[in-house]
Amino acid sequence: MQLVQTVSFPTPQLLADLSPLPEGLRGVVWDMKAAPGESAGEIDGVILPYIDASAVLGSLAHVKNLKYVQTQSTGFDGVPEAAGPGAAVATASGVHAAATAELAVGLILAKLRGIDEAVRDQQAQNWNPQRRQSLADRRILLLGVGGIGAELARRLAPFEVTLTRVGSRARTDADGQVHSSADLVRLAAQHDILVSVLPLDSKTHHLVGEEVLAALPDGALVVNVGRGAVISTDALTREVVSGRLSCALDVVDPEPLPAGHPLWSTPNALITPHVGGNASAFEPRILKLLKNQLEALAAGRTPANLVQQGAF
């Protein structure tokens, strides 16, 4: 007997795009904003919405026979807890890597070369040439060596930077040395730019806190395109508002920042609204992944990217 038979899709369009489904699978539409109604007893697999999935995770409690949850994001904060230990949870790891790496490079260049300030000058019709930092010859500390980290490292290579990679443990892989996160304070003192692409879990929560930020040299740039709570917002705000550090953030904690938060208005901060993976590359890549995942479910095979094993 097949493990998963009825899968819910967050939108009619996504179901249409993936139809016909593999033989043996049935699709229903459920946006998760309310109880699933009559289909609740039949749903055993759920594809989460891409935008604001965290806001509807509580709805998973309505699915009594939940066996499988598929995210459309790389991150999976709170999903295993909402799904329960008996359900398998899979992510969209790899789908967002290229687009998120692109944005990281864009944020670094924009902040180093003062493009954000040039936009403000343009609006004021102010011609204000200045010598800015180049990306060439910068020393970059990259936190995260997974899919996004690998794509970012590839994109940074032509810029003639010195790149130091940090993972959960020290090791050597096909691309060279990976340092342990235990060395962050020592490493921070030796780098001009810190970039986090890390997911959020108990080990990465506030991994970049007051001590790491204080170790960065004056004028260093902090970039976060992973998860907001990996970096302590309070500690970062103090350093950025003081003028000692600058930051370029696609993710923040809390998200969005509350009205009046100092990071909104300080010129040392550049903020984008969590759009790292939300680019033209997303749709074809997520459809390809979901098609493969559904085929695996229909055939009784283990889907890719499991972060919780469940019944598989």
Side-chain angles (χ1 to χ4, degrees), residues 14 17-18 70 72 91-95 281-296 304-305:
L14 186 60
D17 288 342
L18 290 164
Q70 173 70 56
Q72 295 190 64
T91 74
S93 178
V95 167
F282 168 68
E283 187 171 358
R285 295 180 184 217
I286 193 65
L287 291 179
K288 180 179 178 180
L289 173 73
L290 293 177
K291 181 176 183 293
N292 290 338
Q293 298 290 72
L294 293 171
E295 288 175 351
N305 300 338

Side-chain angles (χ1 to χ4, degrees), residues 228-297:
V230 170
I231 298 177
S232 166
T233 300
D234 289 345
L236 180 64
T237 300
R238 286 192 293 270
E239 293 279 14
V240 171
V241 171
S242 76
R244 199 184 77 81
L245 301 180
S246 60
C247 67
L249 310 172
D250 185 50
V251 291
V252 290
D253 176 40
E255 197 166 284
L257 291 171
H261 193 281
L263 286 180
W264 281 124
S265 56
T266 178
N268 275 11
L270 172 60
I271 300 172
T272 54
H274 200 153
V275 293
N278 197 9
S280 60
F282 168 68
E283 187 171 358
R285 295 180 184 217
I286 193 65
L287 291 179
K288 180 179 178 180
L289 173 73
L290 293 177
K291 181 176 183 293
N292 290 338
Q293 298 290 72
L294 293 171
E295 288 175 351
L297 292 175

Side-chain angles (χ1 to χ4, degrees), residues 95-309:
V95 167
H96 305 280
T100 304
E102 288 175 354
L103 182 63
V105 173
L107 288 172
I108 293 169
L109 286 169
K111 203 75 190 95
L112 289 181
R113 298 304 299 265
I115 295 172
D116 55 335
E117 294 189 30
V119 171
R120 291 191 286 270
D121 283 337
Q122 177 186 343
Q123 292 170 341
Q125 301 182 46
N126 182 28
W127 186 263
N128 184 27
Q130 296 182 45
R131 177 170 290 177
R132 302 283 186 175
Q133 284 191 335
S134 173
L135 180 50
D137 303 329
R138 295 304 95 195
R139 301 166 299 171
I140 299 179
L141 187 60
L142 174 59
L143 313 187
V145 294
I148 297 173
E151 290 297 320
L152 180 53
R154 274 201 318 123
R155 283 160 175 76
L156 287 171
F159 286 96
E160 303 175 28
V161 301
T162 298
L163 184 68
T164 303
R165 298 180 301 143
V166 176
S168 58
R169 57 183 175 82
R171 60 191 184 274
T172 301
D173 63 16
D175 296 313
Q177 185 177 10
V178 177
H179 294 264
S180 166
S181 57
D183 295 329
L184 263 184
V185 174
R186 176 180 62 83
L187 293 169
Q190 305 166 9
H191 291 81
D192 312 301
I193 303 171
L194 182 150
V195 184
S196 175
V197 299
L198 289 170
L200 181 63
D201 58 30
S202 59
K203 293 180 180 179
T204 62
H205 183 266
H206 285 190
L207 179 64
V208 180
E210 184 175 352
E211 191 176 9
V212 173
L213 294 170
L216 287 166
D218 290 354
L221 171 64
V222 177
V223 180
N224 193 358
V225 295
R227 282 295 182 266
V230 170
I231 298 177
S232 166
T233 300
D234 289 345
L236 180 64
T237 300
R238 286 192 293 270
E239 293 279 14
V240 171
V241 171
S242 76
R244 199 184 77 81
L245 301 180
S246 60
C247 67
L249 310 172
D250 185 50
V251 291
V252 290
D253 176 40
E255 197 166 284
L257 291 171
H261 193 281
L263 286 180
W264 281 124
S265 56
T266 178
N268 275 11
L270 172 60
I271 300 172
T272 54
H274 200 153
V275 293
N278 197 9
S280 60
F282 168 68
E283 187 171 358
R285 295 180 184 217
I286 193 65
L287 291 179
K288 180 179 178 180
L289 173 73
L290 293 177
K291 181 176 183 293
N292 290 338
Q293 298 290 72
L294 293 171
E295 288 175 351
L297 292 175
R301 301 193 309 269
T302 301
N305 300 338
L306 286 185
V307 293
Q308 178 166 288
Q309 195 69 22

Side-chain angles (χ1 to χ4, degrees), residues 41-82:
E42 303 172 359
I43 293 174
D44 46 14
V46 174
I47 299 175
L48 297 177
Y50 174 47
I51 303 296
D52 292 333
S54 61
V56 295
L57 285 180
S59 296
L60 291 176
H62 294 296
V63 184
K64 302 306 179 184
N65 297 312
L66 185 62
K67 298 172 183 174
Y68 178 76
V69 178
Q70 173 70 56
T71 76
Q72 295 190 64
S73 62
T74 304
F76 52 95
D77 318 355
V79 180
E81 294 81 0

